[in-house]
Amino acid sequence: MTGAPLAVLRLGVADAADFHELRLDGLRRHPEAFGASYEEEVRHSLEDCGRRMESGIVFGIRRNGQHALDGIAGLYIPEAIKTRHKGVLWGMYVRPEARGRGLGSALVARVIEHAATLVEEITLAVGASNASAMGLYKSAGFESYGLEHRALKMAGRYVDEVLMRLVPVQ
Ligand SMILES: CC(C)(COP(=O)(O)OP(=O)(O)OC[C@H]1O[C@@H](n2cnc3c(N)ncnc32)[C@H](O)[C@@H]1OP(=O)(O)O)[C@@H](O)C(=O)NCCC(=O)NCCS
């Protein structure tokens, strides 16, 4: 850990290009960690990303006030009446050179804090062999409640995902 404060920001339209750059870096380096694909999102325009920032809930961290983002995470809340009591933590990613310094923990904590006012429960899915992400979520209080076999299929290879949940304290 460095002594630099970890300010987690709610991202907006002005952050669209930086979000897109870091998101694509994550999808390219860790295809097994995300439901989305690099090939799909590389086609997103800046306007697409701006709309995502505007209509969604996305957080980010810039270390030491640097311009580029170093970590991102989102919270998806469905609009449908019967499912909008639960939010989904998605897109957790920290740039490799920024890992192990608490950025992931700070992002999860911010998502939980934000979700507490909006939903009754947060769920997520994490690759069954993704020890670092699972450790992050467990240390934030998430517990596993299931395993989805063959959740993702990439070039004929399957990835099982552990399903996790947390009830945020209001
Ligand atoms: C998972 C990830 C977001 C963690 O980010 P990070 O900034 O390094 O996390 P932190 O420094 O805040 O660490 C928080 C906790 O995560 C866990 N953790 C982090 N790295 C770990 C590792 N390599 N092995 C085991 N646990 C680890 C630990 O519990 C750690 O707590 P500690 O600091 O008390 O040891 C990052 O490794 C990443 O972006 N991975 C690739 C993308 C990915 O897998 N995303 C998740 C998709 S579900």
Side-chain angles (χ1 to χ4, degrees):
M1 292 277 296
T2 65
L6 293 174
V8 181
L9 314 163
R10 172 85 183 260
L11 302 185
V13 177
D15 303 297
D18 292 347
F19 169 84
H20 195 42
E21 182 274 321
L22 188 56
R23 171 81 170 157
L24 290 180
D25 187 68
L27 294 176
R28 191 173 48 78
R29 287 184 201 263
H30 303 278
E32 71 298 337
F34 301 102
S37 306
Y38 178 86
E39 310 84 271
E40 289 163 340
E41 294 210 7
V42 75
R43 292 200 291 261
H44 288 189
S45 67
L46 205 54
E47 287 72 33
D48 294 333
C49 294
R51 275 193 293 276
R52 195 173 195 179
M53 302 294 104
E54 212 167 25
S55 62
I57 302 169
V58 186
F59 297 101
I61 297 188
R62 299 176 196 277
R63 278 183 304 161
N64 311 320
Q66 283 173 2
H67 183 61
L69 283 166
D70 290 301
I72 46 176
L75 174 70
Y76 169 69
I77 302 178
E79 282 178 17
I81 294 168
K82 293 179 187 171
T83 53
R84 66 187 181 194
H85 60 295
K86 290 188 182 188
V88 181
L89 191 162
W90 64 271
M92 168 63 58
Y93 182 61
V94 173
R95 213 181 274 287
E97 56 271 31
R99 289 181 195 163
R101 296 182 171 89
L103 273 72
S105 297
L107 284 161
V108 176
R110 187 72 179 84
V111 168
I112 294 172
E113 183 193 10
H114 191 85
T117 61
L118 301 173
V119 292
E120 297 169 23
E121 188 170 314
I122 308 166
T123 64
L124 62 84
V126 52
S129 59
N130 190 345
S132 50
M134 208 116 53
L136 167 66
Y137 299 136
K138 279 186 184 153
S139 71
F142 280 84
E143 59 180 23
S144 33
Y145 68 91
L147 178 72
E148 183 178 350
H149 289 284
R150 299 183 165 204
L152 307 179
K153 183 177 182 182
M154 300 163 353
R157 199 165 59 81
Y158 296 96
V159 176
D160 295 343
E161 286 188 335
V162 173
L163 309 176
M164 305 187 86
R165 65 185 286 272
L166 175 139
V167 175
V169 179
Q170 303 252 346

